[in-house]
Amino acid sequence: MVATVAIVGRPNVGKSTLFNRLVGKKLALVDDRPGVTRDRREGEAQLGDLTFTVVDTAGLEEADADSLTGRMRAQTEAALVAADVILFVIDVRSGITPSDRQFADLVRKSGKPVVLLANKAEGRSGLEASYEAFTLGLGDPVPISAEHGEGTSDLYDALAAHL
Ligand code: GDP
Ligand code: MG
């Protein structure tokens, strides 16, 4: 059976950029504005000799902050339930935010295997945030750049350990 890998994290960390890179097509909308991915999207991903179904999760843009939190949480929880492995993405350029910690709590509670991805780390930028990311309690952060395709072999190793 093909495993399902869910990409989870707060808006604007680069989830859709990573999703598009993994499926090799621009199926997900990438945008600077937080919360532009409206739908949950699925695609077939290929990474080295690994083949899996990858799920991008949305940040839903709503005027009402409470409903945003509720719907984002519900969608994330549904993706966590369906996933065999979680890719939890943070943005090393902005550092760890309270929202990252809320999402990390959901991920930890799911009990699913998780790979912590420290994105936007091109050219070794954001090493400090990478260290800070240890405090999320989700293991060793794997620095990547979804946009520039860096860290792919480390991502492969981390995923292969769970698939
Ligand atoms: P999402 O909301 O988590 O799906 O994030 P997106 O994939 O839509 O990306 C949000 C913004 O971060 C966009 O402007 C992307 O171009 C940018 N971004 C994504 N990955 C990287 C990266 O590796 N490095 C840098 N510098 N920017 C990135
Ligand atoms: Mg997105």
Side-chain angles (χ1 to χ4, degrees), residues 7-21 28-37 56-59 89 91-93 118-122 125 144-150:
I7 304 176
V8 171
R10 68 169 168 81
N12 221 32
V13 293
K15 298 181 299 298
S16 297
T17 304
L18 176 63
F19 174 89
N20 286 338
R21 188 163 280 281
L29 184 58
V30 173
D31 198 283
D32 295 339
R33 291 164 295 160
V36 158
T37 310
D56 185 22
T57 53
V89 185
D91 173 347
V92 295
R93 294 182 174 236
N119 190 37
K120 309 195 187 181
E122 59 265 19
S125 54
I144 64 161
S145 171
E147 196 159 88
H148 299 273
E150 295 176 20

Side-chain angles (χ1 to χ4, degrees), residues 27-100:
L27 295 181
L29 184 58
V30 173
D31 198 283
D32 295 339
R33 291 164 295 160
V36 158
T37 310
R38 283 169 188 280
D39 305 309
R40 187 185 116 112
R41 281 176 206 278
E42 277 189 26
E44 289 312 307
Q46 185 85 44
L47 187 61
D49 58 357
L50 303 175
T51 305
F52 51 91
T53 300
V54 64
V55 178
D56 185 22
T57 53
L60 293 154
E61 196 168 48
E62 294 289 334
D64 178 353
D66 289 336
S67 103
L68 179 148
T69 304
R71 290 174 64 184
M72 258 188 339
R73 169 189 280 262
Q75 195 219 32
T76 298
E77 281 176 334
L80 291 172
V81 167
D84 298 300
V85 183
I86 318 294
L87 297 179
F88 183 74
V89 185
I90 57 159
D91 173 347
V92 295
R93 294 182 174 236
S94 56
I96 308 295
T97 69
S99 179
D100 287 317

